[in-house]
Amino acid sequence: LSQVTGKTYRLPTEAEWEFACRGGAETPYFFEGDARDYDRKGIWNKLFGADTELISRYVIYEGNSQGKTQLPDAVEANPFGLKNMSGNVAEFCSDWYSPDAYAQLQDPRGPVSGTERVIRGGSFKSRASEVRSASRDQTHDEAWMKTDPQMPKSIWWYSDCNMVGFRVVCEYDARTGGSN
């Protein structure tokens, strides 16, 4: 994409991803609510049903996905105009994964090396508590590439993982007013 357009495109850092997902909010979701309100596992919600109307307006997750990804227009955008940041598919970030990255926060880009990448958000398979703005996990390369028929295994073949995708960031060029 960068070669075709002449602009610089890349995966977001973990910090950029979370900022974009939050849409300016400092709460678990960019909209009102708590994961316990939407989760069908609580005793109250088991008896009376969880009120999922609000979360379903903004997020594709196990409660409304019908077991598969959905088109972007199935949900409303966050305050930054972005759709499906916290659901539909979890998203790759450019950072290397470290379970204690926030405790060691020296550089917002995270560790300089590692074996697995950060993925953020949840997917169409995730419970409501797993699609919060702060949800994070790591890639699971060995498990996700188990059925890759290529020898040696490809670094891009995730045949056993249909719940992770990516979105790209286009870098702003201040020298030219945004155009590279």
Side-chain angles (χ1 to χ4, degrees), residues 2-4 27-28 40 64 110 125 130 132 134 138 143 149 164 169:
S2 294
Q3 288 177 333
V4 171
T27 54
R40 297 180 197 276
N64 65 355
K125 295 180 178 183
E130 298 168 332
R132 298 170 300 108
Q138 65 182 347
V164 177
V169 171

Side-chain angles (χ1 to χ4, degrees), residues 15-24 30 78 80 82 85 167:
E16 289 170 330
W17 187 95
E18 186 169 336
F19 179 80
C21 182
R22 286 187 181 280
F30 66 86
N78 74 7
F80 291 167
L82 302 168
M85 286 292 298
R167 79 177 62 221

Side-chain angles (χ1 to χ4, degrees), residues 30-33 39 41 43 49 65 109 125 165 174-175:
F30 66 86
F31 50 90
E32 291 183 25
D39 201 336
K41 294 188 182 248
I43 196 150
S65 69
R109 291 175 296 214
K125 295 180 178 183
R175 297 176 314 228

